[in-house]
Amino acid sequence: MWKAWVVFWKTWSADNKRRSKLGSFLRLYYPSCNATDNEEAPWIPDKEYYQGLSDFLNMYRVVGERLFQYYVGSVTCPAKSNAAFKLGEKYPLLIFSHGLGAFRTIYSAICIEMASQGFVVAAVEHRDESASATYYCKKKSISEPQEESTSGLEKEWIYYRKLKTGEEERCLRHKQVQQRAQECIKALNLILKINSGEEVMNVLNSNFDWNSVKDSVDTSRIAVMGHSFGGATVIESLSKEIRFRCGIALDAWMLPVGDDIYQNSVQQPLLFINSEKFQWADNILKMKKLSSNDTNKKMITIMGSVHQSFPDFTFVSGGLIGRFFKLKGEIDPNEAIDISNHASLAFLQKHLSLKKDFDQWDSLVDGIGPNVIPGTNIDLPPAEPE
């Protein structure tokens, strides 16, 4: 049986006195043993995420929090928390980057599928103020009696930062994507430290046996994947870290990508998986500029899909609400995510040299199959003569 598990990682600053955002914050999914007695992981673990989503959606917090609590407060992921790590193999590693206004937990349909197929997946939560909400742990400002305090730490919340009046968005997003890439690389380094047997500090209490992870990650098979702003983060990460052997950008938002990236700085294979309804000509032209004349860089489009066909909200929203808020497209959400996941697995098998049967979906990478096309559905201006 394959399951997934949740973990939050945080490292302290050297002096251990001032508050620190320098650690890694992620939800870790991995192949596990049968864990029928373990509880399923909560989908959205804290009410502050409802508040952050309300801010991002320009809703009053008191209204948004009640709505989210009512509709999704009891939702759990089909993944067991603290399940024992499945031994006996070396697993490829996938780092996942969330989109603008999202956070680490709401791409479980993708991450759980990847873990069920034999990947260790680290879903990073970014602290660049692009998440709806996130937090880090700091020492409590008011000391409590030892017998009354289970922890000397408290959560310091960081909420989504809106553009200021007159602020240029591209400048802000470019700065954020650079931090995001560094956070992906930091998560990679953390998992490799654990894999080597090095002791690291997890500030959230856990009874998980970290020694079981030692020597279980295939350090030669590492990839990066992300949605929207996370797609731009994939590109930035590939340009900065050669240990990422390939990348997958889901409906990438190209605005944050710096001009320097287009000058042959992404050498690794890259797969763009786009929705039908989100993309526009200028965005697609930037993708093509990055992938021109490189057969290891591919683009496909899932017909009938929307930008929110990749996060989990498409599955928990009803038909009417889903279409009103553009959380659902014309295609069945399960079919859309299957196309995306299967194309991703086929691409990863090829470029990570995996000995699996994911090549059964190779045609999807070429845009061949029901509800998928090669390239884009967007009408592009004719290429200018050189």
Side-chain angles (χ1 to χ4, degrees):
M1 177 180 289
W2 301 93
K3 293 293 181 184
W5 179 73
V6 181
V7 63
F8 164 78
W9 279 99
K10 176 73 174 61
T11 55
W12 288 103
S13 57
D15 61 14
N16 204 25
K17 293 180 180 179
R18 62 183 177 86
R19 66 185 188 178
S20 173
K21 305 176 188 177
L22 301 179
S24 291
F25 191 1
L26 56 88
R27 176 172 277 197
L28 191 70
Y29 302 83
Y30 56 80
S32 77
C33 302
N34 195 334
T36 55
D37 294 333
N38 296 60
E39 294 183 355
E40 289 191 342
W43 183 49
I44 299 180
D46 296 280
K47 66 179 178 60
E48 285 81 1
Y49 289 106
Y50 302 145
Q51 297 171 1
L53 285 168
S54 300
D55 292 348
F56 181 71
L57 296 172
N58 293 313
M59 299 171 62
Y60 290 113
R61 282 189 175 186
V62 65
V63 175
E65 184 177 341
R66 288 179 180 177
L67 285 174
F68 284 116
Q69 182 64 48
Y70 177 79
Y71 281 106
V72 301
S74 62
V75 174
T76 59
C77 299
K80 299 295 186 178
S81 183
N82 280 336
F85 195 90
K86 184 176 177 64
L87 302 176
E89 293 185 47
K90 280 185 174 291
Y91 302 108
L93 174 62
L94 184 62
I95 307 295
F96 191 93
S97 173
H98 64 73
L100 188 71
F103 39 93
R104 73 192 188 282
T105 70
I106 63 172
Y107 292 89
S108 65
I110 295 172
C111 296
I112 289 174
E113 175 63 15
M114 294 297 141
S116 74
Q117 297 290 352
F119 287 80
V120 171
V121 184
V124 176
E125 188 159 289
H126 294 294
R127 289 165 165 164
D128 61 336
E129 298 180 299
S130 69
S132 285
T134 186
Y135 66 89
Y136 60 93
C137 292
K138 67 173 185 176
K139 283 192 172 183
K140 288 183 177 178
S141 56
I142 301 176
S143 60
E144 299 178 13
Q146 186 67 35
E147 64 272 15
E148 296 180 7
S149 177
T150 58
S151 171
L153 302 174
E154 62 183 356
K155 295 176 181 179
E156 181 80 3
W157 285 90
I158 306 168
Y159 291 100
Y160 174 75
R161 176 166 107 64
K162 297 182 179 181
L163 284 173
K164 300 174 183 177
T165 303
E167 183 176 18
E168 183 188 3
E169 183 167 24
R170 190 171 188 273
C171 182
L172 171 63
R173 302 310 181 199
H174 180 58
K175 180 179 178 181
Q176 288 176 322
V177 80
Q178 291 175 309
Q179 177 177 333
R180 284 165 146 260
Q182 290 303 323
E183 288 170 340
C184 287
I185 295 168
K186 190 177 296 182
L188 165 60
N189 291 333
L190 175 65
I191 301 302
L192 294 185
K193 282 183 180 180
I194 297 169
N195 184 65
S196 69
E198 184 175 336
E199 185 175 349
V200 294
M201 179 184 291
N202 180 4
V203 300
L204 292 189
N205 295 327
S206 169
N207 59 3
F208 182 73
D209 179 13
W210 284 104
N211 290 325
S212 65
V213 184
K214 183 180 179 182
D215 296 326
S216 293
V217 174
D218 189 334
T219 59
S220 68
R221 293 182 167 94
I222 301 168
V224 60
M225 184 180 192
H227 172 244
S228 193
F229 202 170
T233 306
V234 166
I235 295 165
E236 190 77 23
S237 300
L238 290 173
S239 73
K240 285 181 163 55
E241 180 53 73
I242 195 64
R243 288 177 296 176
F244 291 126
R245 286 182 54 182
C246 62
I248 300 171
L250 306 173
D251 230 9
W253 180 39
M254 300 296 289
L255 176 73
V257 178
D259 293 336
D260 57 309
I261 300 298
Y262 297 99
Q263 308 302 318
N264 298 317
S265 60
V266 177
Q267 303 298 320
Q268 303 97 312
L270 176 60
L271 174 62
F272 291 103
I273 303 179
N274 294 333
S275 71
E276 178 185 355
K277 301 297 184 180
F278 175 72
Q279 293 298 332
W280 62 101
D282 184 61
N283 210 54
I284 293 292
L285 288 173
K286 289 178 179 178
M287 295 181 194
K288 285 185 168 292
K289 184 177 180 181
L290 192 68
S291 60
S292 61
N293 301 319
D294 187 344
T295 58
N296 285 324
K297 291 183 172 66
K298 300 275 192 176
M299 182 192 301
I300 62 173
T301 298
I302 302 174
M303 301 304 291
S305 63
V306 295
H307 195 52
Q308 297 300 323
S309 293
F310 300 94
D312 296 337
F313 279 106
T314 191
F315 299 104
V316 299
S317 59
L320 184 61
I321 291 177
R323 285 184 172 80
F324 180 79
F325 288 103
K326 298 182 180 179
L327 302 174
K328 293 181 184 290
E330 297 169 2
I331 189 174
D332 180 89
N334 292 287
E335 184 175 355
I337 207 68
D338 281 348
I339 293 171
S340 178
N341 285 339
H342 291 165
S344 297
L345 288 166
F347 185 81
L348 291 168
Q349 169 155 325
K350 178 178 179 180
H351 296 291
L352 296 182
S353 304
L354 303 176
K355 293 180 174 59
K356 300 283 188 176
D357 63 353
F358 306 150
D359 54 349
Q360 65 181 294
W361 299 304
D362 278 350
S363 61
L364 292 176
V365 181
D366 293 319
I368 301 172
N371 296 308
V372 62
I373 63 170
T376 181
N377 62 303
I378 302 298
D379 291 329
L380 301 176
E384 296 182 2
E386 297 182 0

